[in-house]
Amino acid sequence: MRFGLVGVLNTALDFALFILFYGVLGLAPQLANTLAFWLAASNSYWLNQRWTFAASQPSLGAYGRFLLFNAGGLLISSLLLHWLGPVIGMAWAKAIAIGLGFLWNFTLSKHFVFARPKP
């Protein structure tokens, strides 16, 4: 449930930043997507580390793993924008990409980034 709430917040942040960078500032869609995605991912790490998974202390190793696994989400998002954007519009393509990225990121975060050591 907490991951979902953090996800909703970061989804809104990712989408709003994408619209700002692409729609308002006129950046190329892939650059706007990359910037929005990494800013939202960094926020996601902080919130998930502190609240969702209640890991003991933030670490550069866990943050690095989080960003590495999120790179897969960024790849999925970028490919969908490239393939679907011209067909259904960038905003709809971004919305679909966010949904698939959520599934990807939750699975990897739960099992590899914020996993608690086994007793």
Side-chain angles (χ1 to χ4, degrees):
M1 179 62 109
R2 288 182 182 188
F3 191 86
L5 291 173
V6 170
V8 167
L9 174 65
N10 286 309
T11 297
L13 180 63
D14 186 8
F15 195 78
L17 288 171
F18 175 76
I19 295 301
L20 171 70
F21 295 147
Y22 173 69
V24 176
L25 299 178
L27 297 180
Q30 296 298 340
L31 178 58
N33 184 53
T34 301
L35 291 172
F37 188 92
W38 287 122
L39 289 169
S42 293
N43 186 61
S44 179
Y45 172 78
W46 187 82
L47 289 173
N48 280 309
Q49 191 279 326
R50 294 316 241 167
W51 185 56
T52 304
F53 296 104
S56 58
Q57 291 293 321
S59 74
L60 286 177
Y63 181 61
R65 281 190 305 278
F66 187 78
L67 291 181
L68 178 65
F69 293 139
N70 273 267
L74 177 58
L75 178 61
I76 291 167
S77 179
S78 295
L79 289 172
L80 287 171
L81 282 177
H82 179 73
W83 292 330
L84 294 178
V87 178
I88 64 173
M90 288 297 172
W92 283 109
K94 179 65 175 173
I96 292 168
I98 286 172
L100 291 176
F102 175 83
L103 295 173
W104 170 271
N105 291 334
F106 173 76
T107 302
L108 294 175
S109 292
K110 181 178 179 183
H111 295 292
F112 298 106
V113 177
F114 301 110
R116 294 186 182 176
K118 299 192 191 247

